[in-house]
Amino acid sequence: MSNNNVNGTIRNFNNGPVKTDHQTTNHIYLHPGHQSGEFESWMRKIGGLLQITAEAAHLKPLLDLLFTVAEPERMFLYTFPAIDELNLEPCHEIRLVFREERIEEVSSLAGFVKLASFKHRSLIITLQSNTDFEENLQDCSDDSVLCFREEFLVFSNSPYRLRTCTDEHIKLAYDSAMHDFNRYYNEGVAALQASKMLLGDKHYYQAYSLVVRVVEQVYNAIICAFGYSFKVGLKLFELKKKAAQYLPQLFCFDYDLAEIEELSLLLVNREQLRFDSMLGSFDSTLGITEEFMAAAKPCFESKLNYLLNYSKGGNNHG
């Protein structure tokens, strides 16, 4: 089965029909009457753990437990490399895709998942509904092209194979995600410098307000690169949760942004705001933000380079 990329679009060249209903969009259905050998091979794999790399072999008991108890539709595994200059250790992400009606039911397993993974440091487990998963595939979002590939698939309970993207198409998604991130991130860098100038002139309210906007900008840089939509009107901790879905390695280590989140809530609640008591109390948030931004960019670039260069046979490099 081969796929060719022509002008950024994907064409499927296989003898089986391509399903296009909302449940199977962008999946190649391997009908028994067409390429039966490949169909039978795939059907034998359904419902069991697919081959995993040596670097993730220690996670096999946990993966077995997750698909046995949680029964996802699909399970993806990513191992993001260490970032030595930031003292960030390697980080594993397990992404579970569930049918829409099971998301709330599965969310109640949070305690079980935490217990099941307590032996593994730097492990993040994220959940996604099958509806969102299919929509991302249909839209050919950068997230789907880079992340939803069979190279990362470790469990499938579906007879529908994932679309295969060409190297050219993956590189286009990489360039697009990097461009979107840099655009918003660089705006945040400029705003942070303006905040420092305002603080130097003792314009505390303006400086504090702007530094909160800077952190929001970094979160949105991460979100927009993978999810396309700029989030407005969310509390800072809610925005952080959204960003953590796309860049878990950055948020599974100790970057304490609690002071900035506290500041953002104070600034929003104008009726109870006593600004005279805040003067000088949050000057440290500028340094915290600068340190966080210095980690966010290389962490984002490391993830994208991993996704671009990954191959299950090896040669994975940043």
Side-chain angles (χ1 to χ4, degrees):
M1 179 175 63
S2 62
N3 294 309
N4 289 343
N5 183 288
V6 181
N7 296 327
T9 61
I10 292 183
R11 298 168 61 193
N12 298 312
F13 294 92
N14 72 307
N15 294 325
V18 178
K19 295 281 218 174
T20 56
D21 61 88
H22 72 283
Q23 293 183 336
T24 61
T25 301
N26 287 332
H27 288 66
I28 299 173
Y29 179 66
L30 299 170
H31 191 275
H34 304 276
Q35 297 184 329
S36 59
E38 187 175 357
F39 172 81
E40 292 168 359
S41 174
W42 179 251
M43 291 301 288
R44 282 194 297 270
K45 297 177 182 178
I46 290 176
L49 195 63
L50 303 176
Q51 183 177 356
I52 61 175
T53 59
E55 64 187 359
H58 66 289
L59 292 175
K60 187 177 184 301
L62 173 60
L63 297 172
D64 284 328
L65 189 62
L66 284 173
F67 81 72
T68 300
V69 175
E71 298 179 343
E73 291 294 294
R74 290 181 177 84
M75 182 161 58
F76 296 87
L77 174 65
Y78 313 90
T79 302
F80 303 116
I83 307 175
D84 295 334
E85 62 269 29
L86 300 176
N87 293 319
L88 287 181
E89 299 176 4
C91 174
H92 298 287
E93 179 190 359
I94 300 173
R95 190 181 298 197
L96 303 171
V97 180
F98 292 94
R99 296 189 307 274
E100 188 77 33
E101 62 271 17
R102 292 207 59 222
I103 280 292
E104 289 188 11
E105 174 187 343
V106 172
S107 296
S108 66
L109 291 174
F112 159 76
V113 169
K114 186 175 182 179
L115 176 64
S117 59
F118 81 100
K119 285 186 177 181
H120 307 288
R121 293 189 61 204
S122 310
L123 173 66
I124 296 290
I125 298 177
T126 56
L127 308 180
Q128 185 167 18
S129 74
N130 201 46
T131 301
D132 289 342
F133 175 80
E134 294 285 353
E135 287 177 354
N136 283 338
L137 288 177
Q138 185 176 19
D139 294 339
C140 291
S141 70
D142 294 337
D143 186 40
S144 70
V145 173
L146 290 167
C147 300
F148 298 149
R149 295 164 22 212
E150 285 196 0
E151 295 98 301
F152 304 114
L153 187 69
V154 293
F155 172 79
S156 176
N157 198 33
S158 170
Y160 300 104
R161 293 286 296 269
L162 294 174
R163 176 190 58 202
T164 300
C165 298
T166 65
D167 291 342
E168 180 186 2
H169 196 209
I170 294 170
K171 183 60 167 61
L172 287 172
Y174 170 94
D175 290 341
S176 174
M178 190 70 77
H179 174 270
D180 289 341
F181 176 84
N182 284 332
R183 172 189 170 191
Y184 293 112
Y185 180 87
N186 290 336
E187 290 175 357
V189 170
L192 181 61
Q193 295 307 312
S195 181
K196 289 180 179 180
M197 293 177 61
L198 289 167
L199 186 63
D201 293 335
K202 300 188 184 302
H203 297 304
Y204 294 101
Y205 182 84
Q206 292 88 339
Y208 292 165
S209 297
L210 191 55
V211 79
V212 171
R213 300 288 87 79
V214 169
V215 176
E216 289 179 350
Q217 188 77 4
V218 176
Y219 289 165
N220 269 308
I222 297 167
I223 294 168
C224 289
F226 290 111
Y228 285 143
S229 56
F230 195 95
K231 305 295 183 182
V232 295
L234 294 180
K235 294 179 179 178
L236 197 61
F237 73 89
E238 294 173 330
L239 200 59
K240 178 182 177 180
K241 288 182 180 180
K242 294 283 186 183
Q245 293 176 5
Y246 297 105
L247 197 58
Q249 186 175 22
L250 181 64
F251 295 94
C252 70
F253 295 96
D254 188 20
Y255 288 102
D256 189 3
L257 302 175
E259 191 173 353
I260 300 175
E261 292 174 3
E262 178 187 354
L263 175 60
S264 70
L265 292 175
L266 286 172
L267 292 172
V268 168
N269 195 350
R270 292 180 176 272
E271 292 183 0
Q272 299 181 15
L273 179 63
R274 293 186 57 188
F275 197 71
D276 56 339
S277 66
M278 293 174 58
L279 297 181
S281 301
F282 291 92
D283 293 3
S284 60
T285 56
L286 277 76
I288 294 171
T289 300
E290 190 167 33
E291 181 182 351
F292 174 67
M293 292 182 72
K297 185 175 177 64
C299 192
F300 178 86
E301 292 173 343
S302 177
K303 174 175 179 174
L304 249 65
N305 288 328
Y306 164 80
L307 294 173
L308 175 67
N309 297 308
Y310 184 86
S311 62
K312 233 172 189 176
N315 300 321
N316 305 317
H317 50 86

